[in-house]
Amino acid sequence: MVSSSYSNLLDLATGAADQPPAPAALGALRRRLPSVVTTPGLIDDSPASPSTPSPAPRPRTIVVANHLPIRAHPPASPSEPWTFSWDEDSLLRHLQKSSSSPSMEFIYIGCLRNDVPSADQDAVAQALLESYNCVPAFMSADTAERYYHGFCKQHLWPLFHYMLPLSPDLGGRFDRLLWQAYVSANKIFADKVLEVINPDEDFVWVHDYHLMVLPTFLRKRFNRIKLGFFLHSPFPSSEIYKTLPVREELLRALLNSDLIGFHTFDYARHFLSCCGRMLGLPYESKRGHICLEYYGRTVSIKILPVGVYMEQLKTVLALPETEAKVAELMETYTGKGKVVMLGVDDMDIFKGISLKLLAMEEMLRQHPEWRGKLVLVQVANPARGRGKDVADVQEETYAMVRRINEAYGAPGYEPVVLIDQPLQFYERVAYYVIAEACLVTAVRDGMNLIPYEYVASRQGNDKLDRVLRLCKPEQKKSMLVVSEFIGCSPSLSGAIRVNPWNIEAVADAMESALALPEKEKNMRHEKHYRYVEKHDVGYWANSFLQDLERTCKDHSQRRCWGIGFGLRFRVVSLDLSFRKLAMEHIVQAYTRSKTRAILVDYDGTLMPQAINKSPTDQSVQILNSLCRDKKNAVFLCSGFKRHTLDDWFPSENLGLAAEHGYFMRLKRDAQWETCIPAADCSWMQIARPVMELYTETTDGSTIETRETVLVWNYEDADPDFGSCQAKELVDHLESVLTNEPVSVKSTLHSVVAKPQGVSKGLVARRMLASLQERVMRPDFVLCIGDDKSDEDMFQFINSAPCGDSLASTAEVFACTVGRKPSKAKYYLDDTAEVVRLMQGLACVSERPPSGNLAREETLPQFEAFAE
């Protein structure tokens, strides 16, 4: 029986896969099997070795989505085959037809909208693969129901549209069985990708919230897979998202992608906020690209709204059927003096149809001059979901239409025309062409391309211009009233943006859209059309794929390995020269060395970040043991006051550096000295009031005052607000301290103001210089730190000037804590590993030399770390 915690969903899903075996037709796509496959079930994912160059294969992109861009037609009788045709309205189909790279081959993986009997699945898969380059994913009816209509539509879709499951009627309570079905379905999609992928060459592009855990399955099998994900729905704020019981699993799964795309900055900002608050991952901008560092991998964030397929729209506008329909509608409405305002929405709770109808009712009440003239044509497409909420929306819509028409209608005039039957695309385009304005009042929508289609349709062509009796280009116009809560709103700067919940404001916007001067309407239309024409679906797809290629270009230059179980699996990616400190290696080097220099940072390295900053008895004993070894020169670097360090570390031979290196002391009986000439600290009188201002306005922040350093700490503040305030504080301090000899730097959870020229690099320089004065040239150097201030130490001990102070056979170990970009060549995972390393070295120092005995007896201390 499956555990309720469901900790290893990957293994469960592997056993739960209920799809039939792969059809023989997949042999066609296996013509480019990855060279890394050696033995069934075993994959060598190490960097490819140089070999004889071969002709470049045709680039391929594997597009994975819930549904294939295919219309399937069941056979009329059991003896006849299934037939298929492209779904020309599908976004996935538009990707291929609008690609700027004709050589790019697209392979589609997804489900069919029809239930295919098990007996027909092999034949259907063969036909789709051979004729359409499509690989269907089949699953049982029960899995499909619980995956799509269950977890996707009952949990993710409402939550991502800001609906909390406060009662069983609002989305429903979280159901673990539906979550298991979601993971199992994603595993089925992953198996289909693995059947056709060449991981060395192919790109994989996963679409939307139906497949959010798919990146983990793929990354687990191929650590260097080139993987992009685009979310077509909104991403909710962290306060909404964190109510999801599987919030971490989904975030970590998405972070197994190389590139994650969103329609708007708001959606991306919410995702980044969730990563920061729930996973502790900060983000940064690198040359205009927003990036997250996730276990050494760079995950890029793409912000670009999808566009419409302009070629399809232009083709439909040129159809005779469209021209005839436009003429018919012109006679029905414009020929009778009516002005049409258009709404096109799915019949669901988030499209705001009822709010739109209320605004129409309010406008007719406030502006009686529009009665008998203005007609709201509302096209209500069938809802994609189902349930009581859909039925409630339909019932409410019909009732409101009847009420408005009864109140303001007249013989031959209905203020609201509700079209609740599916329209063909050319019919919808015809309505766009004759509408004076388009109204979108969705309360939450990922993108919504209706405004784009409307603008493009209003541009029309010569034939339609004659039908509309437009003589000059400047007579072309379009007006948009759009909700602030839809993804296309930021890109339509000429639209009238409204809060759909404010009925009076929407009614006023509708009246303004109709009453604006013709020249103003024309200017807004031209601005929108230029944007829509340029930023079409081809622009969006090509831009995403280019960024995906850029993000993945250094995959082959990095060492990768997977860690973690289930959906917590992730890949550690490091530069080929950056590796974990091999314990056996450092023990051997330490044992055979004659003179050793050891520099260790304190807070965050030897001691974890905690409320109690004082060292443990174990840490003090380790340092004392190292200092008793006459071969060792040990130096401890810290940002704390020198008197505090004096109290904490009583060892006679321990060198100390206080306040980030401003004060230094080689031994306990030596005098404290400064690394630079005595600094004038009068600047503190200027800086402290500024820090106090930010402390008052940032709950959880504190100020630490030392002799020469001021630290503003926001470790206990809200992470987003604290980070924002820290950036502002750095700018503020730099402006008021422009003429002072002060350096202001932002570190992890703090802002530090200290005298210019002070750095831990000077500590390393002074330590080695003191050894050189005693004619001692270290043949072993160990330097460990955890943050940006320690990078100066790493840089110095790896530099040429440092080499002059070392023995010719010196072995240098610059080690950072955590896997992150660093000037160090080695890393350890956390402070616990640092302590165990130091404890092991102390153990070596305390044992008497006896050939290889010390090494042999000490090595068991490091078995947990040896690579």
Side-chain angles (χ1 to χ4, degrees), residues 341 363 367 369-370 481 506-516:
M341 183 172 280
M363 182 184 171
H367 301 277
E369 67 273 16
W370 284 105
V481 178
V506 177
D508 291 342
M510 293 168 65
E511 201 278 333
S512 297
L514 299 173
L516 275 177

Side-chain angles (χ1 to χ4, degrees), residues 16-20 111 115-116 118 121 137-148 181 184-185 188:
D18 54 1
Q19 75 278 27
C111 297
D115 291 330
V116 180
S118 299
Q121 288 178 3
F138 298 114
M139 61 187 75
S140 68
D142 178 61
T143 298
E145 173 70 19
R146 288 185 288 127
Y147 149 68
Y148 182 72
S184 297
I188 293 172

